[in-house]
Amino acid sequence: MDELDRELLFEYLYTQNRKNSIRARLNELEKIYHNYSFISSPFAYQEDGMTPVRHPPFDLIVNDFVDMEQQAKRCLQIEDYKHHEFMKYWNALNQDEQTYLKQIANQCEHLKDNSALEVQTLNEIHQIEEATGHRFHLAYDLAIDQNTNIDDVKSTMSQVLGMLTNGQGV
């Protein structure tokens, strides 16, 4: 498993960290908004005494806050969906498989090779990414199942060529 795949697996195993980060940013944003003074004076000047202090219009501040709040809540919905879908797969794995994947994500050395499980897990993650794109109207890559059997390379290439030609054949 290469470094990018390992990072992707890590993100799926520890989605709670990202959700906590989004919530913390949202809380910080709310604090800034609630501590903002909407009161201004025509006699307020910068420290130089020459430049008047101009507050942005109230409606722009409120609109920006609402937009950022909606964006953060949408990110949380997306993360919840990904977490829910991945946990369906995760709970179907046995304890040894779960331990192996956690060790890969945490970059442990000297692991026995279980490339079939790695490929299966990455395929599942790619399927979740595609489903997330469909559900939330996001850009996504089509998920192509990676094969562990060299004999199946021809069918994979047919899938790829079919997508590139939009199903018009080769």
Side-chain angles (χ1 to χ4, degrees):
M1 183 176 284
D2 67 10
E3 192 61 32
L4 289 175
D5 291 337
R6 183 175 282 127
E7 287 179 23
L8 185 63
L9 176 61
F10 185 86
E11 285 180 18
Y12 271 83
L13 287 176
Y14 301 102
T15 55
Q16 195 62 40
N17 294 346
R18 276 198 320 245
K19 292 191 313 188
N20 289 342
S21 174
I22 293 168
R23 284 188 188 103
R25 281 184 272 157
L26 182 58
N27 289 338
E28 185 65 28
L29 181 64
E30 288 175 354
K31 286 179 188 175
I32 291 170
Y33 173 76
H34 291 296
N35 290 333
Y36 187 81
S37 174
F38 293 104
I39 300 172
S40 63
S41 168
F43 302 111
Y45 288 91
Q46 298 283 343
E47 292 177 5
D48 64 5
M50 300 296 291
T51 311
V53 174
R54 304 259 190 256
H55 289 284
F58 177 75
D59 59 334
L60 289 179
I61 295 169
V62 172
N63 288 343
D64 287 346
F65 172 74
V66 170
D67 289 344
M68 287 187 266
E69 182 182 42
Q70 287 176 341
Q71 181 75 19
K73 288 181 179 180
R74 179 174 163 86
C75 288
L76 285 172
Q77 287 177 332
I78 291 169
E79 291 301 319
D80 285 339
Y81 176 77
K82 286 180 177 182
H83 178 73
H84 175 75
E85 293 300 316
F86 185 73
M87 291 316 294
K88 287 181 194 176
Y89 170 73
W90 185 256
N91 292 332
L93 299 174
N94 64 41
Q95 187 66 35
D96 291 337
E97 292 170 329
Q98 290 177 357
T99 302
Y100 176 77
L101 291 173
K102 284 180 184 177
Q103 289 173 339
I104 286 179
N106 293 319
Q107 300 179 347
C108 293
E109 299 294 326
H110 309 296
L111 297 173
K112 64 177 180 162
D113 184 34
N114 193 347
S115 57
L117 177 62
E118 293 174 24
V119 169
Q120 176 188 355
T121 302
L122 289 174
N123 287 340
E124 186 66 27
I125 289 172
H126 293 304
Q127 293 289 334
I128 293 169
E129 289 291 319
E130 183 179 353
T132 302
H134 281 291
R135 181 173 181 149
F136 294 98
H137 309 291
L138 303 171
Y140 60 89
D141 292 328
L142 293 176
I144 300 173
D145 288 347
Q146 299 298 316
N147 299 310
T148 55
N149 187 348
I150 194 69
D151 296 330
D152 294 334
V153 171
K154 184 176 179 181
S155 67
T156 301
M157 290 306 295
S158 295
Q159 272 186 312
V160 171
L161 291 173
M163 288 187 320
L164 291 175
T165 60
N166 294 323
Q168 297 170 355
V170 185

